[in-house]
Amino acid sequence: MREGGATRLAEFAELLRGQRIAIVYSHRFGAPLDEDWYHRWQTNVIAMFSQAAEHCGAIPVFFDLDQWLDYCSASPKGVQFVVNLNAGNRSLDQWSVVPALAGWRGLVTFPCSAFTALLGEDKAIAKRLARDCGWHIPRGIEEGLSARDQVIRKPRTYGSSVGLERLTLAEVHNPEDPDYIVEEFVRGYDATIVTFYSTLTGRLECHGAQAITPETDDPANWTYDAYEKRNPGVRTVVASSYYPVDHELAQRAVEITQVFGGKFVSRVDIRLKCAPSATAPIRFEDCTFLEINPMPTIGPSNSVTELAARYVEQHGDHPDLSWIATRSSNPIERAAIYLLSAGLLALSSR
């Protein structure tokens, strides 16, 4: 046990042996089942968590959302933990179903609670809280934007940049629609700051940033929309690299994650006013807050998993993490093992 009586990850991993972990997913309503994006998500994400559970000695049990509703309504027994994959490109009204029902039944839900998902993924609330926490945020329509100004219009409660548009304020139909956010387009570079729980310190920590630089004549004028996310490198060739962040930015990222009730993981999406440099950390003063993702997609090829893989590699000889190397030799699988076990530990009562 660590100081304060907190359970070590190696001990917790032993407790996972033989436990049933529900992996709850949902189809994209109205989309054909052979749609490429759906299948990429299905195979990459569901399979990664299934393998991670098995590497921990646990038993993955699969539910689609309808099956989960039926299961929870029947006084369920046998499942001890839940992985919530009901997220992404759908309305936020539906995001809380899985963790809310799990919480009602006293089950720990990865990666966050219903409260954290609803509060953090609401972009309007997130902007207000970020401003109160000292972040610079894009100006809204009430803050002196002119009809000719370039703006971003996006749904208030959808993920994956679904519905995001860039246009002039004059082109926006009903700019005060409460279901949408209209804010100034900020020239700069897209980046995301990653936090996740460190089992070595027993604290939520910032682990760096991923920045995306498009290969265009004017990279600061580029918009990372839903098409670019779903079709990487098709319309625009981009370079994606990882960077350290300064002490203030690391502290601010952890602070705002905790403001939203996050205990395990988050991604804070920002716009950098200057191109990231390999020789200097990203500074807080150069960041404009865009949104926070307390339920970020965690798959084999994204920022959370990559930075977790680096964390496990860096600290792999520590007694609390050395067991992971005995379960897999693959860096991404090791990262998934860490994220699942550390996440469930962070979200459980310790």
Side-chain angles (χ1 to χ4, degrees), residues 22-323:
I23 298 177
V24 186
Y25 64 93
S26 54
H27 301 292
R28 288 187 60 207
F29 300 129
L33 294 184
D34 60 350
E35 202 261 348
D36 288 343
W37 179 249
Y38 166 78
H39 278 300
R40 186 182 307 136
W41 171 82
Q42 179 193 43
T43 55
N44 284 359
V45 180
I46 295 178
M48 190 180 89
F49 282 109
S50 172
Q51 291 174 346
E54 291 175 349
H55 284 312
C56 290
I59 303 168
V61 184
F62 302 93
F63 298 84
D64 67 23
L65 187 52
D66 288 330
Q67 291 170 331
W68 180 245
L69 293 173
D70 291 341
Y71 179 79
C72 288
S73 67
S75 299
K77 296 180 180 179
V79 166
Q80 287 77 36
F81 301 99
V82 182
V83 174
N84 177 24
L85 301 182
N86 174 47
N89 42 1
R90 65 178 66 252
S91 170
L92 181 57
D93 292 336
Q94 303 160 11
W95 282 31
S96 62
V97 172
V98 173
L101 287 173
W104 181 257
R105 293 300 183 184
L107 302 174
V108 173
T109 304
F110 174 106
C112 68
S113 67
F115 167 82
T116 298
L118 287 173
L119 184 63
E121 297 285 355
D122 184 315
K123 297 178 178 63
I125 294 175
K127 281 184 61 179
R128 292 189 179 193
L129 289 177
R131 180 180 58 199
D132 291 345
C133 289
W135 291 77
H136 177 68
I137 63 172
R139 290 181 298 158
I141 57 174
E142 72 284 356
E143 297 175 276
L145 295 179
S146 73
R148 296 191 302 266
D149 283 336
Q150 291 277 312
V151 297
I152 296 294
R153 180 181 183 269
K154 56 187 176 182
R156 174 174 174 169
T157 66
Y158 270 71
S160 304
S161 296
V162 170
L164 184 148
E165 300 176 285
R166 179 177 165 188
L167 59 174
T168 66
L169 182 56
E171 295 172 316
V172 177
H173 174 69
N174 189 12
E176 296 186 2
D177 185 338
D179 292 330
Y180 286 81
I181 288 179
V182 178
E183 61 190 20
E184 69 174 321
F185 167 72
V186 178
R187 284 182 56 85
Y189 300 82
D190 274 292
T192 190
I193 313 301
V194 175
T195 74
F196 57 79
Y197 180 74
S198 167
T199 60
L200 301 187
T201 63
R203 297 192 302 267
L204 188 71
E205 294 184 351
C206 178
H207 295 273
Q210 179 190 43
I212 298 174
T213 306
E215 296 182 11
T216 65
D217 293 337
D218 187 6
N221 196 45
W222 182 68
T223 305
Y224 196 26
D225 59 20
Y227 182 89
E228 298 283 7
K229 288 184 176 182
R230 295 186 182 192
N231 302 276
V234 174
R235 187 168 67 191
T236 308
V237 177
V238 300
S240 176
S241 300
Y242 291 87
Y243 301 89
V245 303
D246 71 9
H247 180 69
E248 182 177 7
L249 180 52
Q251 282 189 318
R252 299 273 192 169
V254 169
E255 175 193 37
I256 197 167
T257 301
Q258 294 172 330
V259 164
F260 288 98
K263 297 179 180 179
F264 163 55
V265 68
S266 76
R267 274 190 13 244
V268 182
D269 292 345
I270 59 172
R271 194 80 165 165
L272 298 173
K273 68 181 182 182
C274 52
S277 169
T279 60
I282 295 174
R283 303 184 303 172
F284 176 72
E285 63 192 76
D286 294 331
C287 299
T288 296
F289 176 94
L290 298 181
E291 60 185 65
I292 186 171
N293 299 280
M295 278 190 62
T297 298
I298 301 175
S301 58
N302 60 26
S303 55
V304 174
T305 307
E306 172 60 30
L307 289 171
R310 298 183 183 196
Y311 175 86
V312 172
E313 180 180 8
Q314 180 181 358
H315 302 291
D317 292 334
H318 191 281
D320 205 33
L321 298 182
S322 57
W323 64 274

